[in-house]
Amino acid sequence: MSRPLPVRLVDAAMDRSLVLGYTTIGLAVRRALPGWPADPLPRSLEGRHVLVTGASSGLGIATVAGVAGLGATVHMLVRDEAKGAAVADRLRDAQPGVALHLWRCDVADLDDVRRFAADFVAAVPELHAVVHNAGVMPPSRTESPQGLELSMAVHLVGPVVMTEALLPSLAGGRVVLVSSGGMYGQPLRADDPGYTTGDYAPATAYARSKRWQVEMAPLLGARWTDLTVATMHPGWADTPGVRESLPTFRRITRPVLRDDAQGADTSVWLTAVEPAPATGLFWHDRAARPTYLLPTTRASDADRTKAWAWLTEAASLP
């Protein structure tokens, strides 16, 4: 259903205002406006397998619950197996009959990612979708086992390596990268992917890595021609990361922060909607969004080319 022009204008105004668009207010208003995309059909993922990373907290749990509620067999990828098992037990109690399988992997460690993906492909020959939800915001600059800045390792390089290794099972499937609206405030720092210059700031490192996700998505879509690649942002959600790393922001915005299910809504929708959406786009509240709000953050073709060269080397892409 195409949305009338006045509806599109209201939606765009909320999106640019941030406070209206990213909070519970934006989601409630958009749901009430004509043209809100329909929910996926009940049991629309029945018989399909979906992999969710970072599945033991926040948006990850909500994403698992959402796709499991649509009938998917859900593979929960976690770093802490005990924590993941406790979450899986709670979800089984809440949704009797759901099919959940637990896998362990440290997404920051590319060797571990390749080990996991080889085991997964051997066990699951057909994967409908992978939702790359795992996230970090270390308080000080930290490196992965391969020497990558940790935010870039977990949010970009690890997911790319994992997806590449999952291609034998994922053919024709979907890849959803959970990004952040915070990326709007950052340019593509193709000159400093390791955040080695200037004073390190956790929120800036996080937002930079999310900008990289969005900028690389069209190029990844061109590489993985039979996949649908989507980036999305959940709005302002009351996640564990926000509670732990952004306490002042949370204190100010808490009355209008989204809950985990509201934040995960578009990830679940992108996984299940038919037909599959166009590849390489950036989504929020079930609509494709612009990738720039500020002219100072707009990347040049040279920036993207340089960034892509770094990513292909870091991920050892052939």
Side-chain angles (χ1 to χ4, degrees):
M1 179 179 177
S2 178
R3 296 180 298 173
L5 178 60
V7 172
R8 297 200 301 271
L9 292 176
V10 169
D11 186 16
M14 289 194 301
D15 194 52
R16 306 307 186 273
S17 73
L18 305 189
V19 174
L20 292 178
Y22 289 14
T23 61
T24 54
I25 298 168
L27 184 58
V29 171
R30 286 171 175 141
R31 283 185 177 276
L33 290 173
W36 173 256
D39 292 340
L41 294 174
R43 313 304 294 177
S44 57
L45 292 176
E46 189 137 35
R48 290 176 167 174
H49 293 255
V50 176
L51 171 64
V52 180
T53 75
S56 62
S57 67
L59 298 177
I61 297 175
T63 303
V64 171
V67 294
L70 294 173
T73 296
V74 189
H75 300 269
M76 301 172 58
L77 187 66
V78 301
R79 189 173 56 176
D80 184 331
E81 286 184 284
K83 182 180 179 182
V87 169
D89 287 343
R90 291 202 304 272
L91 290 172
R92 292 186 184 104
D93 288 342
Q95 297 174 275
V98 295
L100 305 177
H101 300 277
L102 198 65
W103 298 79
R104 189 209 62 79
C105 178
D106 181 356
V107 178
D109 185 342
L110 302 185
D111 292 336
D112 201 33
V113 168
R114 294 185 177 100
R115 185 271 316 161
F116 154 73
D119 291 346
F120 188 90
V121 167
V124 183
E126 293 186 15
L127 179 63
H128 172 69
V130 54
V131 180
H132 290 294
N133 168 79
V136 293
M137 194 187 293
S140 59
R141 188 183 181 282
T142 307
E143 292 189 352
S144 73
Q146 287 75 34
L148 301 170
E149 190 276 319
L150 196 63
S151 296
M152 290 289 283
V154 173
H155 301 150
L156 180 67
V157 184
V160 169
V161 169
M162 185 180 298
T163 302
E164 190 82 7
L166 291 173
L167 288 178
S169 292
L170 193 56
R174 306 181 190 187
V175 179
V176 179
L177 291 146
V178 178
S179 191
S180 168
M183 71 96 197
Y184 278 124
Q186 293 296 320
L188 176 64
R189 289 299 304 271
D191 62 319
D192 189 20
Y195 207 148
T196 57
T197 60
D199 294 331
Y200 183 88
T204 300
Y206 183 89
R208 283 185 181 184
S209 67
K210 298 299 185 177
R211 166 59 74 183
W212 275 75
Q213 285 180 331
V214 173
E215 296 288 353
M216 295 296 98
L219 300 176
L220 291 168
R223 177 179 176 85
W224 301 325
T225 54
D226 65 339
L227 302 184
T228 296
V229 179
T231 50
M232 60 77 65
H233 80 85
W236 292 347
D238 194 13
T239 63
V242 168
R243 293 193 288 273
E244 295 167 8
S245 302
L246 300 171
T248 302
F249 170 81
R250 181 176 185 259
R251 185 172 64 251
I252 295 169
T253 60
R254 187 175 182 182
V256 292
L257 289 180
R258 300 180 179 201
D259 62 27
D260 291 331
Q262 291 170 329
D265 175 80
T266 297
S267 287
V268 175
W269 182 81
L270 286 166
T271 300
V273 67
E274 294 291 350
T279 196
L281 300 180
F282 182 50
W283 298 82
H284 173 57
D285 284 349
R286 304 189 185 186
R289 304 292 174 180
T291 53
Y292 302 100
L293 297 183
L294 302 170
T296 55
T297 64
R298 187 175 295 276
S300 67
D301 290 341
D303 291 332
R304 289 191 203 90
T305 299
K306 186 173 183 178
W308 179 250
W310 178 86
L311 176 58
T312 55
E313 181 177 357
S316 300
L317 299 182

